Amino acid sequence: MPEVLFVCVHNAGRSQMAAALLRHRSEGKVEVRSAGSAPADSINPAVVEAMRELGIDLSEEVPKKLTTDAVEASDVVITMGCGDACPVFPGKRYLDWELADPAGRGVDAVREIRDDIDRRVGVLLTELMPSE
């Protein structure tokens, strides 16, 4: 089973949406994690609302600290603005998705970010599971 780690600084917006969308779309066929180099105290409320519109509940999720073990266990590591805070291991696939930061934005702006992430997740899923 492929393992994917999504990383952003606070693990309160982009990486949480990406992880939830991949988990939802892959129907359990991909092991998904998310983490942040400096985790926030809670998930961005506009992110929770935007995801709820798709039937995905993030209200119980908690931002998690990025660990070396999480990176080492993953096949694909996708960063979203964490820069040099991500450890690099040989043999891993690293991608950097340039995405707007949902921090401080309303749900309308977060929807656009969510939809951008969802498109990227769809492409990633076809790469991870081409025969599906």
Side-chain angles (χ1 to χ4, degrees):
M1 180 181 316
E3 297 186 35
V4 177
L5 171 65
F6 293 100
V7 180
C8 67
V9 175
H10 300 298
N11 190 225
R14 295 166 287 189
S15 57
Q16 289 282 350
M17 287 191 287
L21 288 162
L22 181 56
R23 198 173 291 116
H24 177 76
R25 283 173 156 258
S26 71
E27 300 174 335
K29 295 177 183 155
V30 176
E31 179 70 34
V32 183
R33 296 180 195 82
S34 72
S37 52
D41 293 329
S42 61
I43 305 295
N44 178 330
V47 167
V48 173
E49 178 59 31
M51 294 302 287
R52 185 177 291 126
E53 294 172 356
L54 299 181
I56 299 173
D57 183 8
L58 292 182
S59 64
E60 300 297 317
E61 292 294 326
V62 177
K64 293 165 274 317
K65 178 82 175 146
L66 177 65
T67 66
T68 301
D69 290 344
V71 177
E72 197 166 23
S74 301
D75 301 306
V76 181
V77 178
I78 300 174
T79 57
M80 303 173 172
C82 75
D84 295 332
C86 298
V88 176
F89 292 96
K92 307 289 176 196
R93 180 177 175 203
Y94 291 87
L95 301 170
D96 185 40
W97 289 356
E98 291 290 327
L99 296 162
D101 188 346
R105 296 178 184 232
V107 73
D108 289 337
V110 172
R111 277 187 202 108
E112 290 180 28
I113 298 166
R114 175 201 68 198
D115 293 346
D116 185 9
I117 293 170
D118 193 34
R119 283 187 290 277
R120 294 169 191 247
V121 162
V123 170
L124 177 66
L125 191 54
T126 62
E127 292 170 356
L128 292 173
M129 315 202 69
S131 62
E132 294 293 312

